[in-house]
Amino acid sequence: MNRAAELRGAVAFVTPATLITLSILAAPLLYIFYTSFGGPDFSFRAYSDLLGSALFRRTLSTTLIIALSASALSLVLGYVIALHLARQTPRRRSLYMVLVLLPFWTSVLVKCYAFTVILGRSGMVNEFLTWVSGSQVQLALILNRIGVLIGMTNYLTPFVVFPVLASLMAIDDSVYRAASVMGAKPVRIFRTVTLPLSLPGIIAGLSSVLVMALGFFIVPALLGGPRDAMLSNLVDFYTRETLDWSMAAAVGVLLLGMVVLAIAPLSVLRRKQS
Amino acid sequence: MTEANRLTRRNFMASGASLLAAPAILGAGRALASTNKLTFVTWGGTYRDSVYEGGIRSFTEKTGIEVTIIDTPDLAKVKAQVMTGNVEWDVFDAPGAMGASGSKEGYWEAFDEGLFDLDDLAIAPTADLAPFYTWAGGIAYDPSKKGEGEYPRNFAEYFDLEKFPGRRTFRDRPSETLEAALLADGVAPADLYPLDVDRAFAALDRIKPSVASWVAATPQTITLLQTGEVDFSYSYSSRVRTTGEAGAGMAFSFDQTLNGLEYLAVVKGAPNRENAMKFVAHMLSPEVQAATMELLANAPVSKGAVPLLSEESRKWLPDMENANNALMNDAWWADNFETVSRRFKEWMLL
């Protein structure tokens, strides 16, 4: 195939998706930028108000802390699952992969209510602990930071499992054999072979969960307390409660900026890896 | 113009919570001038059933106008509809401050002259807001938990942690909460407005540690009490009354209540404006008020409705003559909601 034909082919395949993306993503996004600068009467008011407000600064730090800890937790849990999956026979592995995907079959809203039943003051966990210990146990597991982290980690873990698993499966078995023939113990093999070679998967998994974690809305609203409000809850506050849409848009733009900032170093790292 | 419309609609969709309404908004603007339709936005659950049984069914029977009922009045969606000129909703069931904000922003149609029987209404309608009923907020408790006299009966006692120790609730918004704090701090109900915001926050600081939940969803003011998560709760007489019908009766103190108005408003540019006017007038007529409030357990604004209520219902009406009770000033909140709200959210976080 010559170059011109190739180009024609590319245009035919890519144009529909590009047009859809531009119209339903780029255009509204530009409009959000426009709104955040006050629309027709251009000003930086929304941004200067936001940066000067304790509410915003507090919510920003909460968002960062929650997003980073939920990402770290799901990375650890997801990595362990992926390690286990990589060692299974293909038939078993596909069964387990379905199990990993199972949480996606229920909506996040339903899962939040389920967690309320399980983790509440007189929920299943506390009832069980009360029964085991013989005394009244009422651990506060929801309406606080713990509840938010449980809910988010539950949602995010599968997004780590799959890219990490792909990386692990791509490691040539002979590398492991060579390492153990040379006398490396399992811990050493993990540190010098498995971990570095699965790094692309870790980076891919981590960047997708971090992006998602920064924009969580329902989980902090339902499982968190008043101190666990995240930036997306602030967007909701400005959109629906105070009807100040340029503030809402400015929060959205800053959130987008944070996502870009969080992702940039990870993608540079990924490029270096490959 | 079309370009701007499209973009604004998208901006509206940016709010995650609003996503569901998108198809409704995108399909707007198809309505004809004269129709037999009406869209009424009201609260969901049993509230919706009560309003349907009490007034909407008879409206359709009388006029042949089909009423589409939509859940959850949301002023952000009204703003989007009015801004884009794609108005989908006709009549809006607005709590006090929301109604007053909408009026300030110019989201409501002015009512036609002579639409209401002014002699019958205890509270006069404004140019664009028709009072639908008054509600009473106050202290609720579970009478099976403690003895007589061990429950706070007014706001001063609700704020008295020494005499009445226990976990409490408040709403997650400054309206009602600041009023309760000032009443507790000794401000006379008549001198409440303009609110002394600093003094209210100082009073709230005292009880903040024993507020177990800042409640966002109204039914939670009761469920937290029923499940024993809290000892006393700031709730509403209408909500408490319905727990009695379900068996496990909670109690509500009428010694001191905060009373507020619920309004009906017609959205500016409503596609079925004529029907909307007829509907609002219908909902304020004495028979409909009596039938609806019998079910909703709130106080009718129609004087003629009061004698039509059952004996049991009249017991649950807040006493407007009681000097301890305060009436919410929605106009004050329309002007101050944003700044006070922001301060309140910050205060909750710190």
Side-chain angles (χ1 to χ4, degrees), chain A residues 33-268:
Chain A
F33 270 100
Y34 173 72
T35 313
S36 74
F37 288 107
D41 1 274
F42 180 84
S43 81
F44 290 100
R45 174 196 67 90
Y47 289 96
S48 57
D49 274 10
L50 268 189
L51 297 174
S53 107
L55 178 62
F56 176 76
R57 287 197 303 268
R58 172 68 63 140
T59 318
L60 178 68
S61 68
T62 313
T63 306
L64 286 174
I65 293 168
I66 291 181
L68 287 173
S69 24
S71 305
L73 278 174
S74 12
L75 181 64
V76 172
L77 287 177
Y79 197 93
V80 175
I81 294 172
L83 269 182
H84 184 65
L85 288 185
R87 294 201 180 119
Q88 306 300 315
T89 59
R91 181 188 274 256
R92 275 217 153 148
R93 181 157 51 231
S94 43
L95 176 71
Y96 288 169
M97 275 159 77
V98 173
L99 292 182
V100 172
L101 281 176
L102 216 54
F104 285 115
W105 295 2
T106 20
S107 90
V108 63
L109 194 64
V110 174
K111 278 189 279 185
C112 280
Y113 281 112
F115 274 125
T116 314
V117 173
I118 297 169
L119 303 172
R121 201 163 274 271
S122 40
M124 283 153 72
V125 171
N126 279 320
E127 292 285 288
F128 177 74
L129 291 176
T130 304
W131 178 72
V132 168
S133 69
S135 62
Q136 184 76 8
V137 177
Q138 289 201 329
L139 295 176
L141 297 173
I142 51 163
L143 301 183
N144 57 20
R145 189 61 56 82
I146 301 170
V148 177
L149 288 180
I150 291 176
M152 283 175 72
T153 310
N154 169 273
Y155 183 84
L156 294 172
T157 305
F159 291 99
V160 173
V161 173
F162 288 99
V164 171
L165 182 62
S167 285
L168 290 173
M169 306 273 292
I171 302 175
D172 195 335
D173 268 347
S174 48
V175 184
Y176 288 121
R177 271 202 300 280
S180 63
V181 165
M182 303 308 265
K185 296 264 166 5
V187 173
R188 178 111 192 247
I189 296 181
F190 179 78
R191 255 198 10 242
T192 55
V193 179
T194 319
L195 199 58
L197 287 177
S198 63
L199 209 54
I202 295 179
I203 295 168
L206 197 60
S207 39
S208 50
V209 295
L210 196 58
V211 168
M212 278 185 274
L214 283 170
F216 257 69
F217 173 74
I218 298 173
V219 176
L222 290 184
L223 297 179
R227 285 155 192 264
D228 303 308
M230 292 176 69
L231 284 179
S232 44
N233 305 101
L234 202 59
V235 174
D236 179 59
F237 168 68
Y238 285 122
T239 311
R240 292 192 313 111
E241 289 190 47
T242 68
L243 295 186
D244 188 341
W245 289 359
S246 65
M247 287 289 254
V251 177
V253 169
L254 293 173
L255 189 58
L256 182 67
M258 273 169 52
V259 168
V260 173
L261 280 182
I263 286 316
L266 285 172
S267 350
V268 170

Side-chain angles (χ1 to χ4, degrees), chain B residues 91-121:
Chain B
V91 181
F92 190 88
D93 190 345
M98 207 190 270
S101 302
S103 175
K104 195 180 143 209
E105 302 283 341
Y107 296 155
W108 313 135
E109 287 276 347
F111 291 118
D112 294 339
E113 292 273 332
L115 191 62
F116 307 111
D117 176 6
L118 295 177
D119 291 334
D120 178 52
L121 297 178

